[in-house]
Amino acid sequence: HRCTGIGKCRADNTGTGGVMCPSFLATREEKDSTRGRARVLQEMLNGHLVAESWQSPEVHEALDLCLSCKGCLSDCPTGVDMATLKSEVLHQTYRGRRRPASHYGLGRLPQWAAIASRAPSAVNALVRAPGVAPLGLTVAGLDRRRRVPRFAPRTFRKWFADTLSQRSRTGDPVLLFVDTFTEYFTPEIGVAAVRVLEAAGHSVHLTDEPRCCGLTWITTGQLDQARKIVGRTVAELFRSGMPIVGLEPSCTAVLRSDAVELLGSAPARLVADSTTTLAELLADWEPPSLDGTRIVAQPHCHHHAVMGWGADAALLRRAGADVQRLAGCCGLAGNFGVERGHYDVSVAVAQTQLLPAVEAASDDAVILADGYSCRTQLSDLTTRRGTHLAELLASRLP
Ligand code: SF4
Ligand code: SF4
């Protein structure tokens, strides 16, 4: 009922740095705009045009193409937060019921990744055997045109433990929150972040146990489990008493926002206040020179909506980079673009801004993309590779 109907969610956001509303920009259907979704939910709640039930097909049809990008959370003048509403609808709809296959597959990705990481080479070989990946994707409710990511041969935490004795333990302590994507798929980003943080005078610490923010449970509406998972994480982060830095924007956004909403506790609020992005933590640091470096930046939607991208823009400006900031969403948005039935809209969303900008970018331009989703979309749909801010800064350190 916050929606006043003025329709900013139907406006073109090119050049604004805004995100809302990628699904409407892709389909141009009112039901795929934030306003259309808000209206259908209003109708469900008052029971006039839509049956008063979480299972109403109109509700699910309207929410199906919502990417949970949180664009409306920051860009809608009245703060309609459709990502949270979608989580709640999925939570209420499937409570005690059988869920869509993707909720068990992608919705529990951190658990599957932890198991697979015990034998990464064998898992990588298995999923690349003829016919296995398409079958696996189909069973998990995912689109067969997507690729199964490779597991890193060594997890980030294992690298950290193996190299601990080589690193200085002096400096301002900071706790690096190790998300699932950095841990199992792209540990090189964590390695780069440790180099940058140490160059900036920090000593880097990790949680005693691998911890998860519960993001994939939240977006698939498995809120009881999400609350337990993020509750354990918040408890350990709170005990550490250290400032926390996150690398994956959506996981950092959970610690900054969703965790507080889910738990409503004082420790969750304190952890939110202590959590920063890499650029926020390095606000007073003199970065290595990026003079003459052309950057096409795709801020992750949750980064834009929850933390804001101002600290990143300022850091890149201090470094002397020439930055073109894109608006809009990459179209993958976590589980959205991978789920069966969403591929075409996912590509259409990417075509609104990301793909034309990447196509027009010079060969020497860096495509800056901190989000694992954004980098996956780039590698699935283009020949370019996305670079994380930590990798870019580490590559320019003396
Ligand atoms: S969802 Fe927000 S931007 Fe869209 S019509 Fe409603 S109030 Fe306006
Ligand atoms: S979360 Fe994103 S896709 Fe969903 S309604 Fe809001 S802006 Fe649109």
Side-chain angles (χ1 to χ4, degrees):
H1 286 91
R2 272 192 193 172
C3 175
T4 57
I6 205 163
K8 190 183 172 200
C9 48
R10 294 177 54 101
D12 187 352
N13 58 17
T14 314
T16 65
V19 168
M20 176 178 75
C21 170
S23 52
F24 172 76
L25 291 177
T27 70
R28 303 278 165 180
E29 295 271 355
E30 173 74 12
K31 76 168 172 56
D32 299 325
S33 68
T34 316
R35 179 173 75 181
R37 296 181 176 119
R39 280 296 146 84
V40 172
L41 288 170
Q42 288 167 11
E43 291 300 336
M44 181 197 85
L45 289 174
N46 67 32
H48 291 162
L49 296 176
V50 175
E52 214 179 322
S53 158
W54 298 107
Q55 281 97 30
S56 294
E58 295 88 347
V59 170
H60 287 267
E61 193 185 332
L63 289 176
D64 181 43
L65 296 184
C66 170
L67 291 94
S68 296
C69 68
K70 294 184 187 274
C72 43
L73 173 67
S74 59
D75 300 352
C76 163
T78 61
V80 171
D81 178 7
M82 198 52 67
T84 297
L85 294 169
K86 182 173 180 177
S87 288
E88 183 67 20
V89 168
L90 293 175
H91 171 64
Q92 299 290 353
T93 302
Y94 295 113
R95 217 175 194 173
R97 291 190 167 82
R98 202 160 69 83
R99 291 173 162 272
S102 66
H103 289 199
Y104 299 103
L106 279 184
R108 299 179 186 184
L109 176 74
Q111 286 177 345
W112 305 132
I115 295 168
S117 73
R118 291 180 198 156
S121 311
V123 173
N124 288 337
L126 180 69
V127 296
R128 266 136 198 100
V132 172
L135 179 69
L137 289 167
T138 304
V139 170
L142 310 180
D143 193 287
R144 291 163 69 104
R145 286 163 285 187
R146 292 292 181 185
R147 273 180 283 191
V148 179
R150 267 185 184 280
F151 287 90
R154 179 164 62 161
T155 65
F156 171 72
R157 290 178 66 92
K158 178 82 171 66
W159 170 84
F160 193 87
D162 290 348
T163 56
L164 200 56
S165 62
Q166 300 162 19
R167 290 202 309 274
S168 151
R169 304 308 288 159
T170 56
D172 295 338
V174 64
L175 193 143
L176 178 62
F177 180 71
V178 185
D179 59 89
T180 292
F181 309 99
T182 303
E183 172 71 346
Y184 300 115
F185 301 113
T186 54
E188 64 276 11
I189 290 173
V191 174
V194 170
R195 282 197 62 209
V196 170
L197 290 167
E198 289 182 346
H202 291 283
S203 68
V204 181
H205 301 258
L206 309 184
T207 52
D208 294 338
E209 298 289 324
R211 293 292 178 200
C212 175
C213 67
L215 169 77
T216 59
W217 282 268
I218 294 171
T219 50
T220 52
Q222 306 183 67
L223 296 184
D224 293 332
Q225 294 94 323
R227 205 170 279 117
K228 279 186 206 145
I229 292 163
V230 76
R232 287 194 289 265
T233 300
V234 161
E236 185 169 352
L237 295 176
F238 177 68
R239 271 197 309 274
S240 81
M242 279 184 254
I244 300 147
V245 62
L247 299 177
E248 173 58 37
S250 45
C251 305
T252 312
V254 170
L255 297 179
R256 282 273 279 263
S257 166
D258 305 65
V260 178
E261 288 169 15
L262 279 169
L263 301 171
S265 63
R269 273 188 285 276
L270 209 124
V271 165
D273 290 345
S274 312
T275 300
T276 62
T277 64
L278 187 61
E280 286 172 336
L281 185 77
L282 299 177
D284 298 323
W285 181 54
E286 201 48 55
S289 172
L290 293 170
D291 239 349
T293 305
R294 265 180 293 215
I295 294 177
V296 176
Q298 169 69 47
H300 185 286
C301 302
H302 293 185
H303 196 153
H304 161 80
V306 177
M307 287 84 74
W309 204 70
D312 295 71
L315 186 145
L316 294 169
R317 221 177 10 251
R318 284 203 307 282
D322 171 10
V323 181
Q324 177 192 358
R325 178 191 173 167
L326 304 182
C329 173
C330 74
L332 197 87
N335 46 307
F336 176 83
V338 188
E339 284 170 343
R340 194 159 51 236
H342 292 165
Y343 184 83
D344 292 337
V345 170
S346 171
V347 174
V349 171
Q351 271 159 349
T352 56
Q353 297 185 55
L354 177 64
L355 297 185
V358 169
E359 204 166 296
S362 58
D363 289 346
D364 63 347
V366 174
I367 314 294
L368 190 67
D370 283 1
Y372 183 78
S373 297
C374 316
R375 294 193 302 275
T376 302
Q377 187 77 316
L378 279 164
S379 61
D380 278 3
L381 304 181
T382 76
T383 53
R384 303 294 292 264
R385 175 185 180 274
T387 301
H388 191 284
L389 177 67
E391 293 179 292
L392 176 63
L393 295 173
S395 73
R396 304 301 170 95
L397 287 174

